[in-house]
Amino acid sequence: MTSFMTATGFGIITAGIIVMAAVGFTLQFSVTGILNIAFGSQMTMAAFIAFLVNSTFGLNVWAALVIAGLFGGVTSIFLNRALISPFLKRGTTFFGIFIVTIAIDLILEYLIEAIWGPTFVHYQIASGNPVKIGPMLVTPVQLIILAIGIVAMAAVHAVLRYTKLGKAMRAAAANPGLARSSGVPTARITDIAWFISGMLGGIAGVTLALSFGSLSFTLGDSYLIILIAAAVLGGVGNAYGAMLGSLIIGLITQWSSLVIPSAYSDVAAFVMLVVVLLIRPAGILAGQAKLRGVAA
């Protein structure tokens, strides 16, 4: 029982990292209908910006995290306007845009490698003494990361449910044409959606690097399949589904380590994903996948 409780606790901490990236990824899809494979490299780029201001200018890593989030949001808007929107205006299909985002991902990944090199780097941060919570020993950094994830998701919930912006985003996600004809500024809403998702991705990139203890140019791409699994499991295009999927993936990866080697824990999460999708192809909470023609 002690081992199970410990695994559950660390599963929740893992979910706190996954959820920010998964919700950011799914927000982009729900509003724009784009599966942005470059999201992983955007996370990595933001994490390296945090490393730059932390190591070169001596800025506290948590302040660097805020800068990384803002950087992620701004670059996300830029990528959409400069590289993706022109293809959409030319009538490029869903699959064509998917290929474009793969190309952007590769460009960003190797740009990062060209600037910072292929070696691992580390943030300058004091880990602090472990804190005992029940049967678990967790570091202050892990607790802060979990708190950031909870606050970020509470903020997303507040925006989506209690603001005019959230209503406009939901309207644009449900029916962009109707929303536009009803006076919703869909172009501005799209920019805001890309900014919020990029900001969440930037913060997630930094917390992921802190969790791993190091940072390399492949960080985001190596984690991309996990966050996509969380988004798809919960219901791609549904922010609350992404939250639920992140929690399930986080718990499954930790619980499975009790019975199989931890190196294979991600496999258990993917098995869970396949089982759920065989039963419910649109995910647990069916989001925009059916409307966008991604799931039956």
Side-chain angles (χ1 to χ4, degrees):
M1 180 60 71
T2 299
S3 298
F4 177 79
M5 293 301 296
T6 300
T8 300
F10 283 116
I12 294 173
I13 293 173
T14 302
I17 300 171
I18 299 172
V19 71
M20 289 182 283
V23 169
F25 180 86
T26 207
L27 273 177
Q28 285 186 358
F29 178 76
S30 65
V31 176
T32 66
I34 295 171
L35 284 175
N36 181 18
I37 301 303
F39 196 82
S41 289
Q42 291 177 247
M43 289 171 56
T44 308
M45 180 71 81
F48 268 103
I49 292 298
F51 167 73
L52 176 66
V53 297
N54 173 244
S55 62
T56 303
F57 302 106
L59 197 65
N60 180 282
V61 72
W62 304 115
L65 178 144
V66 175
I67 293 175
L70 294 175
F71 175 85
V74 171
T75 54
S76 188
I77 293 176
F78 172 79
L79 287 175
N80 178 49
R81 285 191 173 186
L83 299 176
I84 295 177
S85 290
F87 284 98
L88 289 173
K89 291 176 181 177
R90 294 175 185 174
T92 305
T93 63
F94 174 87
F95 182 74
I97 296 296
F98 180 78
I99 297 301
V100 169
T101 64
I102 293 176
I104 295 172
D105 178 68
L106 293 173
I107 291 169
L108 289 178
E109 180 177 327
Y110 289 107
L111 176 63
I112 295 168
E113 183 185 20
I115 296 173
W116 280 284
T119 58
F120 288 88
V121 297
H122 310 271
Y123 293 123
Q124 296 177 4
I125 182 173
S127 59
N129 296 322
V131 179
K132 187 172 178 60
I133 301 178
M136 300 188 302
L137 275 177
V138 297
T139 66
V141 171
Q142 289 175 317
L143 292 177
I144 293 173
I145 289 173
L146 178 59
I148 291 171
I150 293 172
V151 170
M153 291 308 99
V156 169
H157 169 71
V159 168
L160 290 179
R161 288 295 175 188
Y162 305 115
T163 68
K164 291 182 179 179
L165 171 62
K167 292 178 181 178
M169 290 176 69
R170 296 202 306 273
N175 192 322
L178 180 60
R180 191 180 303 109
S181 63
S182 301
V184 175
T186 52
R188 187 186 308 167
I189 294 301
T190 297
D191 281 344
I192 293 173
W194 278 80
F195 178 82
I196 293 174
S197 63
M199 183 172 62
L200 288 171
I203 294 172
V206 177
T207 58
L208 183 60
L210 287 170
S211 176
F212 285 166
S214 62
L215 172 61
S216 76
F217 75 101
T218 61
L219 175 77
D221 278 348
S222 66
Y223 211 64
L224 182 65
I225 189 66
I226 295 291
L227 72 89
I228 291 178
V232 172
L233 178 62
V236 63
N238 188 314
Y240 298 104
M243 295 179 193
L244 177 61
S246 299
L247 179 60
I248 293 173
I249 292 291
L251 291 173
I252 291 296
T253 55
Q254 295 299 319
W255 286 341
S256 64
S257 65
L258 298 176
V259 293
I260 62 176
S262 58
Y264 301 107
S265 59
D266 289 350
V267 175
F270 297 135
V271 169
M272 177 69 177
L273 173 64
V274 170
V275 170
V276 170
L277 294 185
L278 283 173
I279 300 171
R280 191 174 176 83
I284 298 174
L285 302 179
Q288 296 296 311
K290 290 184 178 179
L291 294 178
R292 304 290 185 179
V294 178

